[in-house]
Amino acid sequence: MTTTQTTAPTAGDALAGVKVLEVATLFAGPLAATLLGDFGADVVKIEHPKGDPVRHHGAAKDGIGLWGKVIGRNKRAVTLYLGSPEGQAIFKRMVADADVVIENFRPGTLERWGLGWDVLSGINPRLVLVRVTGFGQFGPYSARPGFGTLAEAMSGFAAITGQPDGPPTLPPFGLADGIAALTTAYATMTALHARERSGRGQVVDLAIVEPILTVLGAQPTAWDQLQQVQERTGNRSHNNAPRNTYRTRDGKWVAVSTSAQSIAERVMHLVGRPELIDEPWFATGTQRAEHADELDDAVGSWIARHDRDDVVAAFEKAQAAIAPIYDVRDVMTDPQFAALDSIVTVDDEELGPLKMQNVLFRLSETPGHIRSSGPRIGRDTEAVLADYGVDATQLERLRADGVV
């Protein structure tokens, strides 16, 4: 599927009429705004005149950052320095008819600029102010720089990730930021729904360290009740076995999961070891995990004698859970991703056709869509600011002064 450039949402979009001002950088805050824009919110990205650092983060083509093309999609791009009095005055005018402001400055920054909640809510009582930081708006760590890596470390994620005899392992991508972005979009919609009842906006205080803590499961409860600390197990699980990655005869890899007892039994029949099912310890996932060496040997030795496609076909025939381990090249050619339109082609104003992930989910009546890829820095400054009384003469002066 190919989409063409148009930043304007349509009246039939799920979030049509929701206006979002994004004054955030890099990942969690901007990605949350992207998710809202995907379903029709009018997102105006307000950047420092030097631009969001994400524009220079990661892979680039012809000097143009590719991650910025993805995370900046469905947005209008405006440059405005909020640290200047004139920038603050213009921003206040923009806030007057906004529904949401998403920011990720260190706590106290907006207040220092005279743009705290008391000021913004005084201008617009229906405003939802979404504040995304590493550790929240208060507490002993609130002033620390808040990167996702720190959240991955302090949440407990890194401590349980990696091989048992290896070091704690961090993900090679923005995992905590991504989880926080999904949570931020959900929090924003929750606050907007509450506003429909009360008529007033509110502050969303989201600490990046908390959503990843939540998805790690019942670890705090297990510690509270059992003084149990989860340890690193590599690709194995404490909760079931066999559960691991296995290398096939042709040098490729597959992942096997047996969370359900019936699946575990089917796998044992498939690999020619049905006698293991009769072992007393085979009856529960936790007990099977205690015998992971034996089960991994049974499954791994069978898989090692077959090519990947044959392994996957045999598991599917047996109704056992398996997946080939893909890299991005495999994702781009997989028929299931193709059927779902998980990857779409977007016409970009600078790079021409480029592919990126589609919107997150499908709605039967108000589907989301990608109207445009990430814009050039400041592309829409003149048009947007004109709506707030900034004429060409003033704009020229603001540019000369470094405000836009």
Side-chain angles (χ1 to χ4, degrees):
M1 184 171 72
T2 302
T3 64
T4 56
Q5 290 279 345
T6 171
T7 57
T10 64
D13 289 332
L15 299 181
V18 174
K19 184 171 183 178
V20 178
L21 303 180
E22 177 207 313
V23 287
T25 59
L26 291 174
F27 305 115
L31 181 55
T34 303
L35 301 176
L36 299 174
D38 283 349
F39 286 88
D42 178 14
V43 179
V44 177
K45 180 174 182 62
I46 300 174
E47 301 174 76
H48 188 283
K50 294 180 180 179
D52 186 335
V54 77
R55 293 182 177 276
H56 309 289
H57 191 92
K61 181 181 179 182
D62 300 333
I64 300 169
L66 301 180
W67 186 214
K69 290 296 181 183
V70 177
I71 203 169
R73 72 192 192 193
N74 291 340
K75 300 177 184 180
R76 295 189 284 167
V78 171
T79 56
L80 187 65
Y81 177 44
L82 299 184
S84 68
E86 287 185 295
Q88 293 156 12
I90 294 170
F91 183 68
K92 289 176 181 178
R93 295 204 293 271
M94 299 176 75
V95 165
D97 67 351
D99 295 289
V100 178
V101 169
I102 299 177
E103 64 99 1
N104 67 346
F105 299 110
R106 290 196 199 185
T109 301
L110 285 186
E111 286 75 10
R112 189 170 68 251
W113 289 340
L115 299 173
W117 172 241
D118 57 337
V119 174
L120 299 184
S121 62
I123 296 169
N124 180 356
R126 290 176 56 81
L127 182 71
V128 172
L129 175 61
V130 182
R131 316 194 77 168
V132 184
T133 57
F135 301 101
Q137 295 294 310
F138 56 90
Y141 302 154
S142 60
R144 290 184 180 181
F147 296 106
T149 297
L150 309 186
E152 290 147 10
M154 293 182 65
S155 64
F157 170 83
I160 64 170
T161 304
Q163 295 301 320
D165 57 351
T169 302
L170 296 167
F173 67 101
L175 176 63
D177 279 301
I179 297 172
L182 293 166
T183 309
T184 300
Y186 161 63
T188 302
M189 297 308 302
T190 301
L192 287 174
H193 182 71
R195 187 185 71 177
E196 294 310 302
R197 298 197 307 273
S198 69
R200 294 191 61 84
Q202 60 183 300
V203 177
V204 173
D205 176 8
L206 190 134
I208 296 173
V209 72
E210 289 184 305
I212 189 171
L213 175 63
T214 296
V215 302
L216 287 174
Q219 289 189 52
T221 309
W223 168 253
D224 173 63
Q225 297 295 308
L226 304 170
Q227 288 71 58
Q228 183 183 91
V229 177
Q230 185 173 334
E231 299 176 349
R232 291 188 290 283
T233 57
N235 293 317
R236 288 177 172 177
S237 169
H238 289 289
N239 303 313
N240 66 82
R243 192 266 196 182
N244 213 326
T245 60
Y246 306 93
R247 191 169 186 173
T248 60
R249 183 172 62 185
D250 52 354
K252 299 178 181 179
W253 292 84
V254 295
V256 172
S257 175
T258 57
S259 296
Q261 181 70 20
S262 59
I263 298 293
E265 294 175 5
R266 291 171 196 163
V267 170
M268 291 302 105
H269 282 289
L270 173 62
V271 302
R273 296 295 302 277
E275 75 279 4
L276 293 175
I277 299 173
D278 298 325
E279 295 286 350
W281 50 260
F282 199 88
T284 69
T286 302
Q287 289 179 295
R288 293 199 310 273
E290 295 172 357
H291 295 263
D293 286 341
E294 186 173 358
L295 293 171
D296 274 346
D297 179 68
V299 175
S301 61
W302 184 89
I303 287 176
R305 298 194 300 270
H306 301 81
D307 292 341
R308 186 183 73 175
D309 290 349
D310 294 332
V311 171
V312 172
F315 268 71
E316 289 184 347
K317 184 177 180 181
Q319 299 184 53
I322 193 169
I325 292 179
Y326 280 175
D327 63 23
V328 68
R329 294 168 294 187
D330 300 307
V331 170
M332 300 297 274
T333 58
D334 181 84
Q336 181 62 33
F337 286 125
L340 295 174
D341 269 335
S342 301
I343 305 295
V344 295
T345 301
V346 181
D347 287 330
D348 180 71
E349 59 188 343
E350 296 178 287
L351 298 176
L354 57 85
K355 294 183 184 294
M356 65 178 64
Q357 301 95 321
N358 204 348
V359 301
L360 272 177
F361 48 85
R362 285 158 291 280
L363 296 179
S364 62
E365 300 301 322
T366 54
H369 52 111
I370 302 173
R371 302 178 301 277
S372 64
S373 57
R376 303 185 312 275
I377 182 171
R379 183 193 65 186
D380 305 293
T381 299
E382 182 175 357
V384 171
L385 296 192
D387 292 337
Y388 298 95
V390 177
D391 61 24
T393 301
Q394 184 182 5
L395 187 63
E396 184 177 353
R397 181 174 56 78
L398 292 173
R399 284 201 175 102
D401 293 341
V403 179
V404 299

